Amino acid sequence: MVDKLPDQGAEGYQRGLGTRQIQMLAIGGTIGTGLFLGAGENIAKAGPSLILTYAIAGLALFFVMRALGELLTYRRTEGGFAGYAREFLGPFWGYATTWTYWIIWVTTGMAELTAAGTYIQKWWPEVEQWQTALVALVILFVVNLISVKLFGELEFWFAMIKVAAIVMMIMVGLGVLIFGFSDAGETAAVGNLWEHDGVFPEGASATIMTLQMVMFAYLGVELVGVTASEAKDPEKNIPRAINSLPLRFALFYLGSLLVILAVVPWTAFKGGASPFVLAFDKIGIPGGGDIVNFVVLTAALSSCNAGGLYSTSRMLRTAGVNGDGPKLLSRLNGRGVPVLTVVISALVMGIGVVVNAVVPEKAFEYITSVSTGGALAVWTVIVVSHMIYRRKAKAGVLAKSSYRMPWAPYSSWAVLAFFVFVTVTIAWESDTRIALYVMAVWAAVVLIAWPFVRRASQGAAGVKVAVETESTSA
């Protein structure tokens, strides 16, 4: 382990992220490939009713964040929600949550690499998906090895492009609807939301089956709470960050989908392509489709950069620091970068390159279903931890938080029931059912590894106590 540099925090990391970067990361994290690419296939499946699915899923995730917010304002803990799992459910659950969250973001990084390969094919159809995925992974890997400051600056501009672009797309779409300009002006109308065989053109069952991809689109929302846990004034900043989520959901998800589905009838959309790119191609603004394609490409690279490599490498290091993994994982280099964990995360993400080479047409659906399955498990742990905390707070064992989850425990049970329902939809289709098989294997790996991790952790704790005792005696 290197000596702590003057510009490092207590964990040994260099403090290379400025306020403007952190704020833009939080805003940009709301927009991802689940919306920019996954919405295309879902629109083709369910038509305008997809907007209702996004609204229901967003409401459920808002309650999850309110539960996490109550925990964060009760007491900030090491490791974010994994720390609460350890406190309220036991050491095993803290360990399992840490590693499951790591695998979620590794597979999410694979999905973003897949999306990048799809977007590049708009310009160069002859380039294979796996080739783009490999090049993107290598570039981001090198960026993450250099320094957190370079990472933060790159991610700031990625997020800035996403936020500015989605606002611009909504404004252009509203202009087409109100003033009728562009090639789509004659057919653009709010009536497109219900005139082509209704709001549920393919039936309610088709709408329900879009839940898997919709939930994937919201993956990462919990990072707002994790970031807020490091706030200087948690009583003020955590509620502010979480309470802004409905506005972000309404603008970025519901607002953007409402506009593009009004401008272009849902029957024009298809899977395997970004609905935003297709909509701007239909509008006919010179170069509009190419500009939007560039934006969604940066969105994919942004998510892979922030979640896929940066976050996963830090999660692995936290596992090493907390005794949930080998101590070797906790090492930093002279620039405060956890090189070993960056390398491990990048190598595992390389599996996504292989999947793209073997089954390019199914790669995105396979990978996102695995991410969604893991996310449902982590979100469930957050809600259950909150329920146990609330019960103890009511009994007077723990202090009550000033920021409370509305209508608990009834809202908690409703969210858990919704997650069970989503899991059933994942199991229903053969293409997404693979996620449950993968998660079952992952659960077995976590269970088998636990006795060894616990033994190593207890041994390390014993050595630490012995050293401290000897030091005190001396």
Side-chain angles (χ1 to χ4, degrees), residues 126-208:
E126 69 279 2
V127 177
E128 300 288 343
Q129 280 181 203
W130 71 268
Q131 293 172 330
T132 299
L134 179 60
V135 171
L137 178 58
V138 170
I139 292 174
L140 296 179
F141 169 68
V142 172
V143 167
N144 273 267
L145 284 182
I146 296 175
S147 73
V148 68
K149 186 174 182 179
L150 177 59
F151 155 80
E153 196 62 30
L154 181 63
E155 192 57 31
F156 170 82
W157 289 108
F158 275 160
M160 177 71 80
I161 290 171
K162 286 194 290 185
V163 172
I166 202 163
V167 172
M168 177 273 293
M169 287 188 280
I170 291 174
M171 292 178 65
V172 170
L174 289 174
V176 173
L177 290 169
I178 296 171
F179 302 108
F181 65 82
S182 86
D183 295 347
E186 295 182 2
T187 57
V190 177
N192 284 330
L193 296 172
W194 59 80
E195 288 179 353
H196 300 273
D197 297 323
V199 176
F200 296 87
E202 302 294 338
S205 60
T207 303
I208 291 171

Side-chain angles (χ1 to χ4, degrees), residues 410-428:
Y410 307 108
S411 51
S412 302
W413 285 112
V415 169
L416 292 177
F418 176 70
F419 288 166
V420 170
F421 182 72
V422 175
T423 303
V424 171
T425 67
I426 292 175
W428 200 261

Side-chain angles (χ1 to χ4, degrees), residues 361-448:
E361 69 285 350
K362 293 290 185 180
F364 190 71
E365 191 168 10
Y366 285 168
I367 294 169
T368 56
S369 63
V370 172
S371 295
T372 305
L376 289 171
V378 170
W379 292 332
T380 297
V381 166
I382 292 173
V383 174
V384 173
S385 297
H386 170 264
M387 293 173 74
I388 296 173
Y389 158 72
R390 178 64 78 89
R391 190 162 61 242
K392 290 187 174 183
K394 186 177 181 180
V397 178
L398 297 175
K400 291 184 178 180
S401 169
S402 60
Y403 185 65
R404 312 195 77 190
M405 180 179 178
W407 308 305
Y410 307 108
S411 51
S412 302
W413 285 112
V415 169
L416 292 177
F418 176 70
F419 288 166
V420 170
F421 182 72
V422 175
T423 303
V424 171
T425 67
I426 292 175
W428 200 261
E429 288 192 340
S430 58
D431 286 343
T432 56
R433 195 180 304 140
I434 189 174
L436 301 184
Y437 302 145
V438 172
M439 293 310 298
V441 172
W442 175 250
V445 170
V446 169
L447 283 167
I448 292 169

Side-chain angles (χ1 to χ4, degrees), residues 323 327 451-467:
K327 196 69 177 175
F452 302 99
V453 171
R454 181 172 53 180
R455 192 177 304 123
S457 178
Q458 290 173 343
V463 170
K464 182 178 179 181
V465 170
V467 169

Side-chain angles (χ1 to χ4, degrees), residues 242-412:
I242 294 173
N243 289 340
S244 68
L245 288 176
L247 179 60
R248 294 182 190 179
F249 291 165
L251 175 64
F252 296 141
Y253 291 97
L254 307 185
S256 60
L257 288 174
L258 278 168
V259 169
I260 67 168
L261 285 172
V263 170
V264 180
W266 74 270
T267 51
F269 295 96
K270 59 182 179 180
S274 170
F276 295 89
V277 174
L278 191 148
F280 270 72
D281 280 339
K282 294 284 186 182
I283 289 173
I285 297 176
D290 289 328
I291 293 172
V292 175
N293 197 58
F294 171 76
V295 170
V296 296
L297 175 61
T298 60
L301 296 177
S302 167
S303 183
C304 185
N305 188 35
L309 278 177
Y310 179 82
S311 295
T312 56
S313 62
R314 271 59 181 180
M315 289 170 203
L316 273 187
R317 182 175 183 260
T318 298
V321 171
N322 291 343
D324 289 332
K327 196 69 177 175
L328 189 66
L329 298 176
S330 65
R331 292 183 177 178
L332 299 174
N333 69 1
R335 295 186 300 276
V337 176
V339 174
L340 177 61
T341 59
V342 172
V343 171
I344 292 173
S345 292
L347 288 175
V348 178
M349 284 174 59
I351 295 173
V353 177
V354 177
V355 174
N356 275 276
V358 177
V359 283
E361 69 285 350
K362 293 290 185 180
F364 190 71
E365 191 168 10
Y366 285 168
I367 294 169
T368 56
S369 63
V370 172
S371 295
T372 305
L376 289 171
V378 170
W379 292 332
T380 297
V381 166
I382 292 173
V383 174
V384 173
S385 297
H386 170 264
M387 293 173 74
I388 296 173
Y389 158 72
R390 178 64 78 89
R391 190 162 61 242
K392 290 187 174 183
K394 186 177 181 180
V397 178
L398 297 175
K400 291 184 178 180
S401 169
S402 60
Y403 185 65
R404 312 195 77 190
M405 180 179 178
W407 308 305
Y410 307 108
S411 51
S412 302

